[in-house]
Amino acid sequence: GPADMDPATWAKVKDHPCYSEEAHHYFARMHVAVAPACNIQCNYCNRKYDCSNESRPGVVSERLTPDQAARKVIAVAAAVPQLSVLGIAGPGDAAYDWRKTKATFDAVSDRLPDIKLCLSSNGLALPDHIDELTAMRIDHVTLTINTLDPEVGAQIYPWIYYQGKRHEGVEAARILLARQMQSLELLVERGILVKVNSVLIPGINDAGMLELNKVVKAKGAFLHNIMPLISDPAHGTHFGLTGQRGPTAAELAAVQEACAGGANLMRHCRQCRADAVGLLGEDRGQEFNLDQLPEVVE
Ligand code: CLF
Ligand code: SF4
């Protein structure tokens, strides 16, 4: 609540449904799936579907161009008075597919100057855009950081694509993890609120979660969202070739308990789709599909 928060931070979180548990009862977010490209491979991701770093994996979102997305946001804003946040959470990586992310945010903020802009990224490309990001009034960024240890990272990320080259194994993980920490530091330095998402993968990164929680707190993350791996072999979202299962509710709760006293935990995440619309846990996306929108929205 406001008691333990400085006024500038409170102004940013009070109507953001993901950053304030209280706000999620009253304020809505919408995602537009404008960013399909991704620069890394996570072992739990099936590229045909949404980025499982932020969204529920195994669903196909309605992909939009920045122009289509802006039309949709304006139509939703007119119909859903609780709308306070526009997020870009894939279906790939919003910072890597930056041209489309920026075009969408620019088109929307021209017409809806009060809407909060939010994005989600694996952090690899984000430092390249930190100046533009800061200038664009983006107050909220989610970074997915699953481990601090490159050896563990190599089990999660088979490859990354960085500066025109493909990297694999521990070398790839070392680059990615360093860029994630750099992203966190740059964002905090610029006064942008950072939520860190970690996908909890039993037997892979659970042992390092407490230390990760402490480090992201020390570096200034506002929230830590420890999300369960959702394993859905039917959608190819099981973990790599090992078919790793997701954590049980008790395993997730145990890790969250262990993190008490570290970075504040988000506990109301609904792992929403990359094209979700409405209050958290509610998805009104189907009401606003492109074919339902008027041709020109003024
Ligand atoms: Fe979207 Fe993510 Fe912004 Fe929220 S969702 S980009 S921070 S506006 Fe929220 Fe959905 Fe959980 Fe994400 S409940 S998946 S944490
Ligand atoms: Fe998939 Fe997201 Fe990982 Fe990219 S960052 S591979 S889209 S889960």
Side-chain angles (χ1 to χ4, degrees):
D4 51 355
M5 226 180 263
D6 68 90
T9 305
W10 176 242
K12 287 176 188 165
V13 303
K14 68 180 186 344
D15 54 358
H16 194 304
C18 305
Y19 283 70
S20 156
E21 178 145 24
E22 177 69 10
H24 96 274
H25 300 292
Y26 308 105
F27 293 97
R29 54 78 186 98
M30 76 177 286
H31 289 164
V32 286
V34 296
C38 188
N39 49 354
I40 70 174
Q41 177 68 59
C42 302
N43 263 329
Y44 47 73
C45 179
N46 178 332
R47 309 298 281 265
K48 289 200 295 259
Y49 303 101
D50 289 353
C51 170
S52 19
N53 278 340
E54 171 76 358
S55 309
R56 177 164 289 273
V59 295
V60 183
S61 294
E62 185 189 43
R63 312 244 168 133
L64 304 175
T65 66
D67 282 345
Q68 291 171 330
R71 281 173 49 203
K72 181 170 177 174
V73 178
I74 288 155
V76 171
V80 180
Q82 305 98 318
L83 183 73
S84 61
V85 178
L86 168 63
I88 299 183
D93 191 82
Y96 179 60
D97 219 343
W98 176 247
R99 207 178 39 79
K100 289 186 218 140
T101 297
K102 182 174 189 313
T104 304
F105 280 159
D106 285 348
V108 170
S109 38
D110 281 351
R111 319 272 289 271
L112 302 171
D114 294 329
I115 200 163
K116 287 185 151 54
L117 307 176
C118 187
L119 71 83
S120 162
S121 170
N122 61 50
L124 182 60
L126 192 134
D128 299 339
H129 309 296
I130 187 68
D131 289 334
E132 280 181 304
L133 237 145
T134 311
M136 282 160 68
R137 225 172 40 77
I138 295 172
D139 287 335
H140 301 83
V141 170
T142 295
L143 291 173
T144 299
I145 304 179
N146 292 320
T147 180
L148 298 167
D149 178 351
E151 303 281 341
V152 174
Q155 297 176 62
I156 302 176
Y157 312 105
W159 56 260
I160 68 166
Y161 185 76
Y162 180 62
Q163 293 184 344
K165 264 181 39 204
R166 191 180 153 113
H167 303 259
E168 293 178 2
V170 177
E171 186 221 350
R174 195 167 281 129
I175 296 169
L176 176 62
L177 273 41
R179 291 284 282 186
Q180 290 174 338
M181 283 304 142
Q182 188 190 357
S183 293
L184 176 54
E185 286 159 14
L186 286 168
L187 291 163
V188 168
E189 209 176 278
R190 305 293 174 103
I192 296 170
L193 290 189
V194 182
K195 171 165 71 63
V196 170
N197 280 3
S198 301
V199 180
L200 184 67
I201 313 161
I204 305 285
N205 68 347
D206 44 356
M209 203 50 77
L210 180 57
E211 178 65 13
L212 177 59
N213 177 269
K214 284 186 185 147
V215 168
V216 301
K217 179 185 186 175
K219 288 189 181 285
F222 180 78
L223 267 182
H224 189 193
N225 178 17
I226 302 173
M227 329 163 80
L229 170 73
I230 299 177
S231 35
D232 180 1
H235 283 107
T237 54
H238 59 286
F239 189 79
L241 298 172
T242 60
Q244 180 69 38
R245 63 175 176 82
T248 63
E251 285 169 333
L252 178 63
V255 171
Q256 290 177 333
E257 278 322 305
C259 292
N264 288 330
L265 295 183
M266 175 181 189
R267 294 176 192 268
H268 63 289
C269 176
R270 301 298 172 86
Q271 293 182 270
C272 22
R273 302 168 55 120
D275 60 358
V277 175
L279 298 172
L280 297 193
E282 160 183 278
D283 191 355
R284 300 179 56 186
Q286 304 315 309
E287 295 168 45
F288 301 99
N289 280 343
L290 260 200
D291 50 13
Q292 269 130 289
L293 299 184
E295 215 24 71
V296 180
V297 185
E298 283 305 338

